[in-house]
Amino acid sequence: MEKIPVVELKNLTKRFPGVIANEDVNLTLFEGEVLALLGENGAGKSTLMNMLVGLYRPDEGEIFIKGKKVDISSPQDSMALGVGMIHQEFMLVGNLSVAENIVLGLPDLEIRPPFAKINKKLIELGKQYDLNIDPTSIIDNLTVGEQQRVEILKLLYRGANILILDEPTAVLTPGESKELNKIIKKMLSEGKSAIFISHKMNEVLEFSDRVQILRKGKSVGTRETSTITKLQDIAKLMVGRDVLFSLEKGEYNPGDIKVEIKDVSIEYKKSVRPLLNHINLQVRAGEIVGIAGVAGNGQQALSEAITGLRKITSGSININNKDMSNKTPIQIINMRVSHIPADRNKMGIVGDMSVGENLSMKKYRTEELSHHNIINKALIKIFANKLINTFTIKTPTQYTNAKFLSGGNIQKTILAREIDSCKGILIAVYPSRGLDVGATETVRMSIIKQRDNGTAILLVSEELEELQMVCDKIAVMFEGRIMDIMDTKDATTEKIGLLMAGVERGEM
Amino acid sequence: MSNLDFITKLLAATLAMGTSLTYATLGEVFTEKSGVLNLGVEGTMLMGALSGFAVTYFTSSLILGLLIAILAGALFSLIHAFITITLRANQVVSGLAITMFGTGLANFLGKKIGPELNGYNLVGLNLPVRFHNISIPLLNRLPFLGAFFNVSVLTYALYLILPLSWYYMYKTKYGLALRAVGEAPRTAAAMGINVNKNRYLYTILGGAFSGLGGAALSLFFTPSWNDGMTGGMGWIAIALVIFSTWNPGRVAIGTLIFGGITSLQFAIQAAGIRMIIPAQFLAIAPYFITLVTLVFMTINAQRKEGHFASPSALGVAFAIDEK
């Protein structure tokens, strides 16, 4: 079969103030194929795709669709050409219904949209693709997984045959991802073409026919997926250096108990079952205790209880042998407990403040950075530059607002601040969530280094692979309880998987 | 005076008073729904009141006066639109500036563009023509409701405009786009909607309604020109937008309550009913009650729905290539 190109991007360049997001990028998508677009956070994948759908205008270069040169100046132009995109952040209006979201902005929509007819068509489409969505539900009342299905339904309704999927499974639980992947597969089996962006290598290998790799805004090569034998080769192309898929770890020498959680419960009046249900856990110096579990089973409540962000209703939390139950966050910070929060943008940084200010946020009140409550800017400058260099945070200057950094560099900023101020205890919640291979590796190595230096670490993660690679012990949480705690060498994927699903140890 | 009579009179006064307030509130509902907060309503209303009065005084044409008032309101809000949408300046600052500018300019012009005979002053003049109540036979004899059928054409127009605005906002594709733009501008843009075009349109529309509301005061309710004659009505309109939960269908409820309490307070004073409460306290009653109602409504909405109905992107400038 002769391969017909449906999308050709030729020498696309896009500049933002101070940054070249894409430089001379060429890309070809053939009919009926899936092209995986790989690259680190901030490599320019999303920018490139946003030019194809008309959200951004390229500064230079040309776009061809089905052999014809096109000028895409708005999303309506790309829609008319059959290009549809699922964005990394959902493009849904929260207080509108599913149907309203799906027809929003359609150029040939009637002045008074005939919702009865639209709903019927949506239900039919939904049945055809196993997307069980009520078209009259309000988006805000749907789960993340359901919202993602609305995005799919939108593409189907609009008849897109060139699909751009920008990390469609990044925010989904493993179960939801599986469901979604089934649906995507069905869409692809109908001859649609797709460009697929993902950090999850197994998805890339499963779906794609070819991969193209971007690095720092430039294309650095394409490969047939079938010829990929070693993931390391792809990772090396993405990052520009060798990536370790297993990490060097020092000898396991646990010391004193640093954090002791005794019979802790959190009753929550709005839910039927307690957020935490009689939790007992110890973390020793020089040890990493991992918490496995599907998100929402109490992991976050536990980390918030330790860091003083949430009150416990019974039990006690001892830090360095002192009862620190229900103390304020500053009292716990003063015990030199570091915290990498689950939601890095909302709880980890202040987006509108500079990288330097974000880095000094834990220490600004100490004599190290201020004197008699007056902040010493000169000291902060030196301090911030030191951390930026040590943790290789990629930022134009330390005065750049933190929100302009890529996800990986935001996480490095938080990591730098927390590790610098850490004296013995670190609570890390989903530290590598949504990060690319390079940044993930940095995060994991930093955590292991802390452990080798004698820090007691509690690591909450959804990725079993990460837990197995990094931790010394793994505890599994389900519905606010700890199902079991075991040494990592005994923690097989099957065993953890069953415990995560709520199967008791005795029942296995 | 029978009780029935009193209530009908009160209702008539309420409708007269509430008309300009309703125009201003409705306009601001459209503006805010698109994500633009315009605190310039007070200044814009004053400009509408002044220009409407001046034009009608010199041309004896109510239609022309009304049109110029609408135009003045639209132009004034165009300044706000340019500053906040194109230049992406802070909406609160710009809105406050518009109110100060509008108030000052209207007062200044009111002393400069009048007839020579009156010392170039517009204050204290009578209009050659004004809007009058038109009563619809039979219907105006209904008990209570009769008051609704003995109003000016400005009020009759609202009987049409309010339901149409509700229909437009919730049943048409233009309203769908408007709601999306104020709630999730990035999403709207990704769906091919021109966010800034929509915001310009509804900011200007809001200003036009404010201008019309101002003219309804100077050409019908008072009818005259006085410095600062809106007396804070523009600010009440902004508060009533919250009361309406940004729904054109509920605008009239708030304006009727506020207009009603204000009229009641006048009526009590006029009727000479001796009260232990001093008149000054009666005068603040409408503002006080509005405040209390708003606080109560906000708390209630928060408790019931967990969030407040305000458009999520209200007050935030938009550009597609910014995080």
Side-chain angles (χ1 to χ4, degrees):
Chain A
M1 193 182 82
E2 201 190 338
K3 290 201 280 187
I4 315 156
V6 283
V7 176
E8 287 169 283
L9 306 182
K10 291 192 177 162
N11 304 97
L12 282 193
T13 298
K14 176 72 188 173
R15 298 181 199 92
F16 289 120
V19 211
I20 300 178
N22 284 131
E23 195 178 355
D24 261 340
V25 178
N26 289 298
L27 179 149
T28 309
L29 175 71
F30 295 103
E31 190 168 4
E33 81 160 348
V34 180
L35 175 70
L37 199 54
L38 300 178
E40 291 186 277
N41 300 109
K45 303 171 304 250
S46 297
T47 308
L48 188 67
M49 291 302 105
N50 279 331
M51 285 193 278
L52 180 54
V53 295
L55 271 180
Y56 298 159
R57 307 246 16 205
D59 294 321
E60 285 160 35
E62 294 169 331
I63 299 174
F64 293 81
I65 304 259
K66 289 168 190 149
K68 255 199 250 157
K69 185 176 182 241
V70 290
D71 179 40
I72 300 176
S73 63
S74 93
Q76 283 181 339
D77 294 344
S78 66
M79 259 178 250
L81 293 162
V83 180
M85 178 162 175
I86 293 186
H87 293 260
Q88 213 171 344
E89 21 167 349
F90 293 157
M91 288 296 183
L92 296 171
V93 185
N95 62 355
L96 299 187
S97 74
V98 171
E100 283 177 318
N101 265 284
I102 285 172
V103 299
L104 183 63
L106 279 180
D108 54 354
L109 188 65
E110 291 88 334
I111 288 179
R112 187 193 200 290
F115 278 109
K117 220 169 84 189
I118 294 165
N119 289 348
K120 219 172 124 197
K121 191 172 166 195
L122 286 173
I123 290 170
E124 268 167 37
L125 265 178
K127 267 195 196 135
Q128 208 179 320
Y129 287 88
D130 286 329
L131 302 153
N132 291 315
I133 297 286
D134 176 6
T136 58
S137 344
I138 301 296
I139 296 294
D140 278 338
N141 300 337
L142 300 180
T143 65
V144 177
E146 287 169 324
Q147 291 184 6
Q148 185 66 286
R149 277 185 267 156
V150 176
E151 288 280 23
I152 303 265
L153 201 54
K154 191 152 78 181
L155 291 189
L156 291 169
Y157 186 86
R158 291 170 177 233
N161 48 39
I162 299 165
L163 313 175
I164 302 166
L165 311 167
D166 191 355
E167 296 195 46
T169 59
V171 288
L172 303 185
T173 64
E176 286 172 330
S177 306
K178 226 179 196 170
E179 283 294 306
L180 182 76
N181 287 342
K182 249 198 272 173
I183 294 159
I184 293 176
K185 234 178 208 164
K186 178 155 186 190
M187 290 167 76
L188 295 175
S189 70
E190 290 165 358
K192 296 180 182 354
S193 325
I195 299 175
F196 185 72
I197 301 176
S198 176
H199 287 309
K200 297 180 184 166
M201 284 297 177
N202 54 345
E203 285 180 358
V204 169
L205 294 180
E206 189 183 342
F207 281 119
S208 66
D209 302 306
R210 277 190 312 138
V211 297
Q212 176 159 3
I213 298 124
L214 291 188
R215 188 166 77 226
K216 291 178 184 162
K218 292 182 198 168
S219 177
V220 291
T222 59
R223 298 275 185 284
E224 298 284 331
T225 308
S226 55
T227 65
I228 298 171
T229 47
K230 281 199 306 191
L231 285 180
Q232 273 90 335
D233 299 341
I234 297 292
K236 190 176 171 185
L237 273 176
M238 281 166 63
V239 187
R241 59 175 168 80
D242 283 314
V243 176
L244 307 166
F245 274 85
S246 63
L247 298 167
E248 289 290 315
K249 223 160 85 170
E251 198 104 342
Y252 177 43
N253 275 323
D256 300 336
I257 296 172
K258 304 291 270 184
V259 181
E260 184 162 30
I261 296 159
K262 280 194 231 160
D263 206 30
V264 165
S265 291
I266 299 180
E267 303 283 344
Y268 192 50
K269 52 177 181 281
K270 280 189 188 163
S271 68
V272 196
R273 59 183 165 81
L275 285 179
L276 292 182
N277 194 350
H278 301 285
I279 297 278
N280 285 292
L281 192 69
Q282 295 174 346
V283 189
R284 292 168 182 272
E287 135 183 292
I288 303 178
V289 176
I291 306 270
V294 178
N297 275 291
Q299 304 95 313
Q300 208 163 326
L302 179 63
S303 66
E304 286 174 358
I306 300 171
T307 49
L309 294 166
R310 198 183 269 279
K311 293 236 180 301
I312 59 174
T313 41
S314 67
S316 71
I317 297 173
N318 288 359
I319 294 173
N320 290 334
N321 286 323
K322 253 169 109 180
D323 186 4
M324 297 301 284
S325 317
N326 291 336
K327 292 285 195 295
T328 60
I330 185 70
Q331 286 172 309
I332 295 183
I333 287 171
N334 287 340
M335 300 284 289
R336 295 303 195 98
V337 175
S338 287
H339 180 208
I340 298 172
D343 188 336
R344 67 181 74 110
N345 293 314
K346 282 189 187 141
M347 283 177 79
I349 57 156
V350 180
D352 283 312
M353 283 168 71
S354 74
V355 174
E357 286 168 322
N358 272 289
L359 283 170
S360 46
M361 210 166 284
K362 257 208 169 139
K363 277 197 171 168
Y364 71 92
R365 19 173 134 66
T366 64
E367 282 293 311
E368 202 179 325
L369 297 179
S370 60
H371 191 53
H372 297 310
N373 293 325
I374 309 287
I375 289 173
N376 187 328
K377 292 255 177 188
L379 287 179
I380 288 200
K381 190 179 162 193
I382 299 167
F383 172 77
N385 274 335
K386 191 187 84 194
L387 288 187
I388 287 170
N389 288 330
T390 327
F391 287 84
T392 59
I393 300 167
K394 273 184 232 154
T395 170
T397 72
Q398 61 160 290
Y399 306 108
T400 309
N401 280 355
K403 69 174 175 186
F404 293 122
L405 303 190
S406 68
N409 283 302
I410 286 177
Q411 193 68 320
K412 278 190 199 169
T413 305
I414 298 169
L415 206 64
R417 179 183 68 212
E418 297 301 326
I419 286 181
D420 169 75
S421 66
C422 182
K423 276 278 164 63
I425 298 166
L426 173 67
I427 314 292
V429 190
Y430 308 125
S432 63
R433 191 190 250 178
L435 301 187
D436 59 64
V437 276
T440 301
E441 188 194 34
T442 313
V443 168
R444 289 176 186 167
M445 285 207 312
S446 309
I447 290 174
I448 289 175
K449 200 170 147 206
Q450 284 305 300
R451 169 232 187 225
D452 292 346
N453 291 343
T455 302
I457 297 167
L458 188 72
L459 172 68
V460 177
S461 176
E462 315 175 282
E463 284 184 58
L464 297 187
E465 193 193 335
E466 172 168 275
L467 292 168
Q468 284 162 335
M469 196 186 288
V470 174
C471 299
D472 300 303
K473 280 181 182 172
I474 297 177
V476 184
M477 284 189 79
F478 175 73
E479 294 193 341
R481 285 184 301 146
I482 287 188
M483 302 293 288
D484 198 3
I485 305 177
M486 62 200 108
D487 287 340
T488 302
K489 59 178 182 348
D490 305 325
T492 60
T493 308
E494 298 75 46
K495 201 165 161 190
I496 297 181
L498 285 173
L499 288 166
M500 275 168 72
V503 180
E504 302 285 344
R505 201 170 7 163
E507 298 169 15
M508 281 184 197
Chain B
M1 189 166 62
S2 72
N3 279 342
L4 194 74
D5 233 29
F6 179 77
I7 290 172
T8 311
K9 279 217 172 95
L10 185 66
L11 204 52
T14 302
L15 288 170
M17 156 121 223
T19 296
S20 54
L21 194 56
T22 305
Y23 278 114
T25 308
L26 181 64
E28 183 70 4
V29 164
F30 274 106
T31 306
E32 290 194 13
K33 203 79 180 175
S34 77
V36 178
L37 177 69
N38 186 356
L39 295 182
V41 179
E42 176 82 0
T44 314
M45 281 183 88
L46 276 169
M47 281 307 291
L50 174 95
S51 52
F53 184 84
V55 169
T56 307
Y57 180 82
F58 287 114
T59 64
S60 298
S61 164
L62 283 169
I63 302 291
L64 205 58
L66 220 49
L67 282 177
I68 296 297
I70 290 171
L71 199 66
L75 278 174
F76 245 68
S77 54
L78 179 63
I79 303 173
H80 183 64
F82 179 72
I83 292 173
T84 60
I85 301 169
T86 303
L87 302 180
R88 308 181 52 218
N90 185 296
Q91 296 181 1
V92 173
V93 175
S94 168
L96 289 175
I98 296 285
T99 280
M100 290 183 207
F101 178 47
T103 310
L105 186 64
N107 292 349
F108 172 74
L109 290 178
K111 292 185 182 71
K112 293 290 166 197
I113 61 170
E116 209 177 337
L117 280 171
N118 200 32
Y120 300 103
N121 210 326
L122 281 175
V123 179
L125 293 175
N126 284 321
L127 281 176
V129 284
R130 57 163 289 199
F131 284 105
H132 288 282
N133 283 348
I134 302 165
S135 66
I136 298 174
L138 295 178
L139 283 177
N140 62 355
R141 299 225 200 114
L142 289 169
F144 301 120
L145 295 178
F148 283 96
F149 300 100
N150 186 17
V151 290
S152 76
V153 65
L154 294 169
T155 314
Y156 282 123
L158 278 175
Y159 298 171
L160 218 60
I161 291 173
L162 283 172
L164 277 180
S165 298
W166 176 84
Y167 188 85
Y168 180 87
M169 181 104 65
Y170 292 104
K171 296 290 167 192
T172 71
K173 68 166 174 179
Y174 307 111
L176 185 61
L178 163 61
R179 285 181 288 147
V181 161
E183 190 65 29
R186 234 188 125 70
T187 299
M191 296 294 105
I193 294 164
N194 189 331
V195 173
N196 286 348
K197 197 173 102 188
N198 267 282
R199 289 187 165 183
Y200 257 96
L201 182 70
Y202 293 110
T203 305
I204 292 169
L205 181 75
F209 270 124
S210 288
L212 180 58
L217 279 181
S218 65
L219 300 182
F220 168 69
F221 188 66
T222 341
S224 62
W225 165 253
N226 280 303
D227 283 6
M229 65 183 291
T230 47
M233 203 180 263
W235 296 109
I236 295 293
I238 290 167
L240 292 182
V241 169
I242 304 170
F243 189 91
S244 75
T245 59
W246 291 267
N247 180 343
R250 290 193 202 152
V251 164
I253 305 172
T255 54
L256 281 177
I257 293 177
F258 181 81
I261 299 165
T262 311
S263 309
L264 182 66
Q265 169 265 123
F266 281 134
I268 290 173
Q269 284 186 40
I273 299 171
R274 277 200 156 275
M275 300 271 287
I276 310 161
I277 313 162
Q280 287 84 345
F281 279 95
L282 277 179
I284 63 164
Y287 301 93
F288 180 72
I289 292 171
T290 307
L291 186 74
V292 170
T293 326
L294 275 177
V295 170
F296 177 75
M297 285 223 4
T298 316
I299 292 170
N300 204 32
Q302 211 102 22
R303 196 173 292 158
K304 236 197 268 165
E305 290 158 46
H307 63 90
F308 203 49
S310 92
S312 299
L314 182 60
V316 188
F318 173 74
I320 186 67
D321 44 10
E322 189 175 275
K323 282 197 197 183

